[in-house]
Amino acid sequence: PDVILNIIDGTNLERNLYLTTQLTELGIPVVIAINMMDVVKKNGDKINVEELSKQLGCKVVEISALKGTGITEAAQAAKDTKTVPQHCFSGVVEHALAHIEEAAVHNMPLEQQRWYAIKIFERDEKVLEQLKLDKTVLEHIEKDIKAAEEELDDDAESIITNERYVYIASIIKSCYKKHSKGLT
């Protein structure tokens, strides 16, 4: 695709951002349309759309499918957008990803290398089958993956999952303000 229009539920932002973090790594421009913003505002909550856009590295627009607002703006934003992923994993993971990019995917389009490196780090069977990497390259990469697993005391796939949720929590903290109901 030329661009991805990722429609997420503004009333459940944290859960919806997991897929978003994966989409922004694909190397395809992403526009995020936050739906149900009318409900978010009615609840007294606030989503700082500009900060969310900055944190995710892609355009973010507000929509309300129910009221039909923001749809045209979302479509327009998709026409001329660029995505620059902002998420960095911990040092040991970034080190492994850099080695994977250098050893295995350096000849791919630059914007797709990170996604492939993450998938290889996670030992994604379908991606590994598709890439048909040389055995010596796989052995070299495996050393970096195992080093990260040992240092972080977890398996590679869980490391990526956990670090995505840490990243999402930091985004929520900086972009989302929940209306606090006073105690009576």
Side-chain angles (χ1 to χ4, degrees):
D2 295 323
V3 66
I4 297 169
L5 180 58
N6 180 25
I7 302 173
I8 64 174
D9 177 352
T11 64
N12 203 341
L13 194 59
E14 189 168 5
R15 184 177 62 172
N16 286 260
L17 286 179
Y18 191 85
L19 174 63
T20 301
T21 62
Q22 293 172 306
L23 293 175
T24 59
E25 292 165 352
L26 285 172
I28 299 168
V30 175
V31 173
I32 298 168
I34 305 177
N35 192 22
M36 300 181 69
M37 283 300 291
D38 50 335
V39 176
V40 170
K41 290 173 182 172
K42 183 180 170 192
N43 291 340
D45 299 341
K46 290 183 175 58
I47 297 173
N48 183 334
V49 174
E50 286 179 25
E51 182 63 21
L52 183 60
S53 176
K54 187 174 129 191
Q55 295 271 339
L56 291 169
C58 61
K59 287 191 179 179
V60 178
V61 295
E62 298 180 17
I63 67 169
S64 171
L66 181 66
K67 295 182 177 179
T69 57
I71 310 295
T72 305
E73 291 83 353
Q76 188 61 42
K79 288 183 180 177
D80 53 34
T81 190
K82 185 177 183 195
T83 298
V84 181
Q86 301 298 308
H87 178 225
C88 288
F89 294 98
S90 63
V92 67
V93 176
E94 285 296 332
H95 180 78
L97 293 175
H99 277 189
I100 292 168
E101 285 180 26
E102 184 182 312
V105 297
H106 61 275
N107 57 353
M108 294 184 164
L110 185 62
E111 61 275 2
Q112 295 175 359
Q113 290 179 14
R114 184 164 179 87
W115 183 83
Y116 275 104
I118 292 167
K119 288 296 166 193
I120 292 168
F121 182 87
E122 292 177 311
R123 298 185 184 101
D124 184 290
E125 290 178 21
K126 288 182 180 175
V127 169
L128 289 169
E129 187 179 306
Q130 175 193 350
L131 293 176
K132 296 176 178 46
L133 298 173
D134 183 77
K135 187 180 177 207
T136 56
V137 171
L138 282 172
E139 288 169 358
H140 173 73
I141 290 168
E142 188 60 29
K143 288 178 187 172
D144 289 322
I145 297 169
K146 283 187 175 169
E149 289 176 326
E150 285 175 25
E151 186 170 325
L152 298 172
D153 194 29
D154 211 343
D155 66 277
E157 193 172 2
S158 296
I159 289 168
I160 295 294
T161 300
N162 293 337
E163 292 206 15
R164 282 190 203 282
Y165 280 117
V166 168
Y167 171 54
I168 291 165
S170 74
I171 291 172
I172 295 297
K173 188 175 182 181
S174 68
C175 302
Y176 182 75
K177 303 291 178 234
K178 192 149 185 74
H179 175 72
S180 57
K181 295 183 170 90
L183 299 173
T184 53

PDB file of all heavy atoms in Angstrom, residues 153-167:
ATOM      1  N   ASP A 153      16.978 -11.370  30.379  1.00  0.00           N
ATOM      2  CA  ASP A 153      16.363 -12.531  31.032  1.00  0.00           C
ATOM      3  C   ASP A 153      14.942 -12.813  30.534  1.00  0.00           C
ATOM      4  O   ASP A 153      13.999 -12.938  31.310  1.00  0.00           O
ATOM      5  CB  ASP A 153      16.365 -12.355  32.552  1.00  0.00           C
ATOM      6  CG  ASP A 153      16.060 -13.664  33.287  1.00  0.00           C
ATOM      7  OD1 ASP A 153      16.375 -14.739  32.747  1.00  0.00           O
ATOM      8  OD2 ASP A 153      15.481 -13.591  34.401  1.00  0.00           O
ATOM      9  N   ASP A 154      14.806 -12.859  29.217  1.00  0.00           N
ATOM     10  CA  ASP A 154      13.508 -13.149  28.607  1.00  0.00           C
ATOM     11  C   ASP A 154      13.751 -13.626  27.179  1.00  0.00           C
ATOM     12  O   ASP A 154      14.855 -13.482  26.653  1.00  0.00           O
ATOM     13  CB  ASP A 154      12.633 -11.889  28.598  1.00  0.00           C
ATOM     14  CG  ASP A 154      11.146 -12.196  28.721  1.00  0.00           C
ATOM     15  OD1 ASP A 154      10.741 -13.356  28.487  1.00  0.00           O
ATOM     16  OD2 ASP A 154      10.392 -11.263  29.048  1.00  0.00           O
ATOM     17  N   ASP A 155      12.709 -14.184  26.553  1.00  0.00           N
ATOM     18  CA  ASP A 155      12.852 -14.593  25.157  1.00  0.00           C
ATOM     19  C   ASP A 155      12.654 -13.375  24.254  1.00  0.00           C
ATOM     20  O   ASP A 155      12.039 -12.387  24.653  1.00  0.00           O
ATOM     21  CB  ASP A 155      11.860 -15.709  24.798  1.00  0.00           C
ATOM     22  CG  ASP A 155      10.425 -15.239  24.845  1.00  0.00           C
ATOM     23  OD1 ASP A 155       9.841 -15.211  25.948  1.00  0.00           O
ATOM     24  OD2 ASP A 155       9.887 -14.880  23.777  1.00  0.00           O
ATOM     25  N   ALA A 156      13.202 -13.451  23.053  1.00  0.00           N
ATOM     26  CA  ALA A 156      13.239 -12.308  22.140  1.00  0.00           C
ATOM     27  C   ALA A 156      11.856 -11.726  21.850  1.00  0.00           C
ATOM     28  O   ALA A 156      11.676 -10.508  21.875  1.00  0.00           O
ATOM     29  CB  ALA A 156      13.930 -12.712  20.837  1.00  0.00           C
ATOM     30  N   GLU A 157      10.890 -12.574  21.583  1.00  0.00           N
ATOM     31  CA  GLU A 157       9.553 -12.079  21.258  1.00  0.00           C
ATOM     32  C   GLU A 157       8.935 -11.328  22.438  1.00  0.00           C
ATOM     33  O   GLU A 157       8.346 -10.261  22.277  1.00  0.00           O
ATOM     34  CB  GLU A 157       8.651 -13.238  20.824  1.00  0.00           C
ATOM     35  CG  GLU A 157       7.371 -12.784  20.180  1.00  0.00           C
ATOM     36  CD  GLU A 157       6.568 -13.926  19.576  1.00  0.00           C
ATOM     37  OE1 GLU A 157       6.970 -15.094  19.686  1.00  0.00           O
ATOM     38  OE2 GLU A 157       5.516 -13.616  18.983  1.00  0.00           O
ATOM     39  N   SER A 158       9.110 -11.865  23.643  1.00  0.00           N
ATOM     40  CA  SER A 158       8.584 -11.208  24.846  1.00  0.00           C
ATOM     41  C   SER A 158       9.299  -9.887  25.108  1.00  0.00           C
ATOM     42  O   SER A 158       8.685  -8.924  25.578  1.00  0.00           O
ATOM     43  CB  SER A 158       8.721 -12.117  26.068  1.00  0.00           C
ATOM     44  OG  SER A 158       7.922 -13.266  25.904  1.00  0.00           O
ATOM     45  N   ILE A 159      10.600  -9.844  24.814  1.00  0.00           N
ATOM     46  CA  ILE A 159      11.362  -8.602  24.990  1.00  0.00           C
ATOM     47  C   ILE A 159      10.758  -7.498  24.133  1.00  0.00           C
ATOM     48  O   ILE A 159      10.502  -6.394  24.613  1.00  0.00           O
ATOM     49  CB  ILE A 159      12.850  -8.823  24.640  1.00  0.00           C
ATOM     50  CG1 ILE A 159      13.519  -9.692  25.708  1.00  0.00           C
ATOM     51  CG2 ILE A 159      13.574  -7.487  24.481  1.00  0.00           C
ATOM     52  CD1 ILE A 159      14.903 -10.206  25.320  1.00  0.00           C
ATOM     53  N   ILE A 160      10.503  -7.800  22.860  1.00  0.00           N
ATOM     54  CA  ILE A 160       9.924  -6.800  21.951  1.00  0.00           C
ATOM     55  C   ILE A 160       8.541  -6.380  22.454  1.00  0.00           C
ATOM     56  O   ILE A 160       8.225  -5.186  22.516  1.00  0.00           O
ATOM     57  CB  ILE A 160       9.854  -7.335  20.504  1.00  0.00           C
ATOM     58  CG1 ILE A 160      11.257  -7.581  19.942  1.00  0.00           C
ATOM     59  CG2 ILE A 160       9.042  -6.399  19.612  1.00  0.00           C
ATOM     60  CD1 ILE A 160      12.118  -6.346  19.757  1.00  0.00           C
ATOM     61  N   THR A 161       7.717  -7.348  22.831  1.00  0.00           N
ATOM     62  CA  THR A 161       6.372  -7.047  23.331  1.00  0.00           C
ATOM     63  C   THR A 161       6.438  -6.139  24.558  1.00  0.00           C
ATOM     64  O   THR A 161       5.758  -5.105  24.622  1.00  0.00           O
ATOM     65  CB  THR A 161       5.617  -8.349  23.674  1.00  0.00           C
ATOM     66  OG1 THR A 161       5.515  -9.147  22.498  1.00  0.00           O
ATOM     67  CG2 THR A 161       4.228  -8.057  24.218  1.00  0.00           C
ATOM     68  N   ASN A 162       7.259  -6.518  25.534  1.00  0.00           N
ATOM     69  CA  ASN A 162       7.367  -5.729  26.767  1.00  0.00           C
ATOM     70  C   ASN A 162       7.867  -4.319  26.490  1.00  0.00           C
ATOM     71  O   ASN A 162       7.352  -3.355  27.054  1.00  0.00           O
ATOM     72  CB  ASN A 162       8.300  -6.428  27.767  1.00  0.00           C
ATOM     73  CG  ASN A 162       7.723  -7.728  28.279  1.00  0.00           C
ATOM     74  OD1 ASN A 162       6.512  -7.942  28.260  1.00  0.00           O
ATOM     75  ND2 ASN A 162       8.590  -8.624  28.729  1.00  0.00           N
ATOM     76  N   GLU A 163       8.862  -4.205  25.626  1.00  0.00           N
ATOM     77  CA  GLU A 163       9.405  -2.880  25.342  1.00  0.00           C
ATOM     78  C   GLU A 163       8.413  -2.010  24.578  1.00  0.00           C
ATOM     79  O   GLU A 163       8.400  -0.799  24.742  1.00  0.00           O
ATOM     80  CB  GLU A 163      10.744  -3.000  24.622  1.00  0.00           C
ATOM     81  CG  GLU A 163      11.802  -3.581  25.552  1.00  0.00           C
ATOM     82  CD  GLU A 163      13.209  -3.184  25.212  1.00  0.00           C
ATOM     83  OE1 GLU A 163      13.408  -2.236  24.431  1.00  0.00           O
ATOM     84  OE2 GLU A 163      14.121  -3.822  25.744  1.00  0.00           O
ATOM     85  N   ARG A 164       7.577  -2.618  23.749  1.00  0.00           N
ATOM     86  CA  ARG A 164       6.522  -1.849  23.081  1.00  0.00           C
ATOM     87  C   ARG A 164       5.560  -1.274  24.123  1.00  0.00           C
ATOM     88  O   ARG A 164       5.151  -0.121  24.036  1.00  0.00           O
ATOM     89  CB  ARG A 164       5.740  -2.719  22.098  1.00  0.00           C
ATOM     90  CG  ARG A 164       6.423  -2.977  20.798  1.00  0.00           C
ATOM     91  CD  ARG A 164       5.437  -3.632  19.828  1.00  0.00           C
ATOM     92  NE  ARG A 164       6.109  -4.370  18.796  1.00  0.00           N
ATOM     93  CZ  ARG A 164       6.688  -3.834  17.738  1.00  0.00           C
ATOM     94  NH1 ARG A 164       6.682  -2.532  17.585  1.00  0.00           N
ATOM     95  NH2 ARG A 164       7.267  -4.594  16.835  1.00  0.00           N
ATOM     96  N   TYR A 165       5.181  -2.089  25.114  1.00  0.00           N
ATOM     97  CA  TYR A 165       4.252  -1.610  26.136  1.00  0.00           C
ATOM     98  C   TYR A 165       4.864  -0.519  27.016  1.00  0.00           C
ATOM     99  O   TYR A 165       4.170   0.408  27.427  1.00  0.00           O
ATOM    100  CB  TYR A 165       3.706  -2.767  26.982  1.00  0.00           C
ATOM    101  CG  TYR A 165       2.584  -3.492  26.275  1.00  0.00           C
ATOM    102  CD1 TYR A 165       2.707  -4.829  25.917  1.00  0.00           C
ATOM    103  CD2 TYR A 165       1.405  -2.839  25.941  1.00  0.00           C
ATOM    104  CE1 TYR A 165       1.683  -5.494  25.260  1.00  0.00           C
ATOM    105  CE2 TYR A 165       0.375  -3.487  25.280  1.00  0.00           C
ATOM    106  CZ  TYR A 165       0.519  -4.814  24.948  1.00  0.00           C
ATOM    107  OH  TYR A 165      -0.497  -5.459  24.288  1.00  0.00           O
ATOM    108  N   VAL A 166       6.158  -0.592  27.282  1.00  0.00           N
ATOM    109  CA  VAL A 166       6.836   0.469  28.027  1.00  0.00           C
ATOM    110  C   VAL A 166       6.783   1.765  27.215  1.00  0.00           C
ATOM    111  O   VAL A 166       6.495   2.844  27.744  1.00  0.00           O
ATOM    112  CB  VAL A 166       8.295   0.069  28.360  1.00  0.00           C
ATOM    113  CG1 VAL A 166       9.094   1.264  28.864  1.00  0.00           C
ATOM    114  CG2 VAL A 166       8.312  -1.067  29.375  1.00  0.00           C
ATOM    115  N   TYR A 167       7.049   1.647  25.918  1.00  0.00           N
ATOM    116  CA  TYR A 167       6.993   2.802  25.010  1.00  0.00           C
ATOM    117  C   TYR A 167       5.581   3.392  24.982  1.00  0.00           C
ATOM    118  O   TYR A 167       5.396   4.607  25.103  1.00  0.00           O
ATOM    119  CB  TYR A 167       7.433   2.346  23.617  1.00  0.00           C
ATOM    120  CG  TYR A 167       7.257   3.332  22.498  1.00  0.00           C
ATOM    121  CD1 TYR A 167       7.778   4.616  22.557  1.00  0.00           C
ATOM    122  CD2 TYR A 167       6.587   2.958  21.334  1.00  0.00           C
ATOM    123  CE1 TYR A 167       7.638   5.504  21.504  1.00  0.00           C
ATOM    124  CE2 TYR A 167       6.441   3.840  20.278  1.00  0.00           C
ATOM    125  CZ  TYR A 167       6.962   5.111  20.364  1.00  0.00           C
ATOM    126  OH  TYR A 167       6.806   5.975  19.322  1.00  0.00           O
TER     127      TYR A 167
END
